[in-house]
Amino acid sequence: MTSRDTGDTAWVLDPILEIPHVRAAVLLTRDGLVAGYTEALSQPTAERTAAIISTVQGACRTAAAAFADQDDAQVRQVVVESDHGYILVAPTAHGTCVAAFGDPEVRLDLLAHRVHSQVARLGEKAMTAAPRSTDGGSPA
C-alpha cells in the first residue's frame, strides 16, 4: 500500500500499515491539514479525519492542562477505542501528527510502538533537513 499525498510521506505511513489489522493512517499538520494519507481513505475522508484529529488533539491538550492545573500541556498520544476499532494519535515535536486506525483485532501495543517509531523518524528527518533559503536562491 502506498500513500496518496502532497509530498513524499509513504516512508512514514507504509510501515504502520504492516501491522496486522491496521486499516488506514493519516499524516497531518497541527492545524488539521493533510500531509499524507493511505490509499484506504479517499481525499475527502482523509481531510475530514485530519480536521477531527486536530480538534481532538487540541481538546486533549486543554484537558491535560486543566487536570494538571497548568496553562499548557503536551500530549504524547491519544487512543480512542470504539466498537469499530482503535485510533492511535501521536504528535511530533515539530507540529505534525500521525494517526492510525486498526480494527478491533489490532494489537494496540504493536500499533503504538510502530506509530511512535515513525514519529521519531519524522523528528530525525526534520532535524536533518537542509536549511531553506528565504531569497529564492540556494541555501547558504
Side-chain angles (χ1 to χ4, degrees), residues 17-123:
L17 295 176
E18 293 172 359
I19 301 295
H21 304 287
V22 172
R23 300 295 174 228
V26 177
L27 177 66
L28 60 135
T29 64
R30 180 174 278 205
D31 56 355
L33 300 176
V34 175
Y37 58 98
T38 57
E39 63 187 23
L41 302 172
S42 66
Q43 183 172 350
T45 299
E47 289 172 353
R48 184 175 67 245
T49 301
I52 293 166
I53 293 297
S54 178
T55 301
V56 168
Q57 279 283 104
C60 288
R61 281 192 303 273
T62 302
F67 271 114
D69 198 23
Q70 300 292 316
D71 291 334
D72 191 27
Q74 296 301 312
V75 172
R76 292 190 183 101
Q77 79 176 14
V78 174
V79 178
V80 177
E81 180 180 3
S82 76
D83 56 344
H84 299 291
Y86 297 91
I87 302 167
L88 190 131
V89 182
T92 68
H94 61 280
T96 59
C97 184
V98 175
F101 172 73
D103 64 30
E105 289 79 34
V106 72
R107 286 217 19 218
L108 197 53
D109 60 334
L110 294 178
L111 177 58
H113 182 266
R114 183 65 53 90
V115 168
H116 285 282
S117 294
Q118 293 307 102
V119 163
R121 288 185 65 204
L122 265 171

